Amino acid sequence: MTGPPGTGRDRRPGRRVRGALRWTAYGMLAAELAVTGCVLTGVRPPPFVEALILTVFLVEAAALLVLYRRGGARAMRDVVPAKAWRLVGHELRVLGSYGLWVTRRRNGVPAGASAFAYARGQAVMMYALTFTCAVETFAMWALLHNWPLLHRVVLVLDVYTLVWILGLQAAAVTRPHVVSDDTVRVRRGALVDLRIPLERIAAVRRENRYSHEAKDGELNLDIGAQTSITLELAAPVRHFTFLGRPQEIHLVRLHAEEPDLLARTLRERIAGRPLTPA
């Protein structure tokens, strides 16, 4: 809540401060890219350039820490663009899924809730794509051996692509659909995570669909181009796209490895609950 001047209730940074921090961050990014290019070509930048970049980085980090302590996450969002937060968050969730995958744990499955997997429907495609990328990485590594700069750049990009693709499958494995006493949480890897109150579900239909046309108000969480359950909502729920655009969703299609069991579980949990009027 924003109070009048002098009350101390609005602790967010001013427009000039936010602009200065943003442009400093952009300058840092450009400088880091330049230094990375120098390293890849085998040319070390002058020591004063490295010292300057380190100093600016420390000042930027200290300023962001002060802002966070004064204004919390809201102040940070005023400085860092929301789309940048969402992109970074998605990457961190994908990479963090490796830890869950290795330790055989799942994200967001509390005690008493029922989890329903869906990742098997895309496993063959994802593993085949991972293998193809691995072969391509080795081939480019061998072909570009005589061009050191291009060799290093392509190798870094190929390795990260390989890690990212396999991370998408890890995210799908470790983030199943979850049905609790009052909510169904439908997901597609680290990309989509939507909570739907059970009282808003008007109908649960068991139907296989292999083609999905994008329409306003409909959310298709197809896996391997397939959905097996359709949820009709009595009242819409708000969903945010990957880059943060809000949508009012009144119909959701999703896939599960055990669709009959998921449909039965949803109907049993919904039974006896009054529907929220549209």
Side-chain angles (χ1 to χ4, degrees), residues 91-155:
E91 294 298 301
L92 292 177
R93 289 192 297 272
V94 168
L95 297 178
S97 298
Y98 279 103
L100 296 173
W101 202 13
V102 171
T103 57
R104 293 181 175 274
R105 293 185 293 129
R106 294 175 297 183
N107 172 272
V109 184
S114 302
F116 297 89
Y118 54 85
R120 190 187 304 164
Q122 66 179 21
V124 173
M125 178 186 68
M126 298 302 290
Y127 292 141
L129 187 57
T130 300
F131 176 76
T132 302
C133 287
V135 172
E136 188 265 346
T137 298
F138 178 78
M140 297 303 294
W141 175 82
L143 290 173
L144 300 177
H145 190 70
N146 293 328
W147 292 271
L149 173 59
L150 188 58
H151 179 266
R152 294 171 185 174
V153 171
V154 172
L155 180 61

Side-chain angles (χ1 to χ4, degrees), residues 54-117:
L54 178 60
T55 301
V56 175
F57 174 78
L58 292 176
V59 171
E60 179 88 0
L64 291 176
L65 179 60
V66 170
L67 286 176
Y68 180 78
R69 296 187 65 178
R70 291 186 60 187
R74 186 180 181 184
M76 296 287 287
R77 287 195 295 268
D78 286 338
V79 175
V80 182
K83 291 182 180 180
W85 276 118
R86 299 184 72 88
L87 288 170
V88 172
H90 178 262
E91 294 298 301
L92 292 177
R93 289 192 297 272
V94 168
L95 297 178
S97 298
Y98 279 103
L100 296 173
W101 202 13
V102 171
T103 57
R104 293 181 175 274
R105 293 185 293 129
R106 294 175 297 183
N107 172 272
V109 184
S114 302
F116 297 89

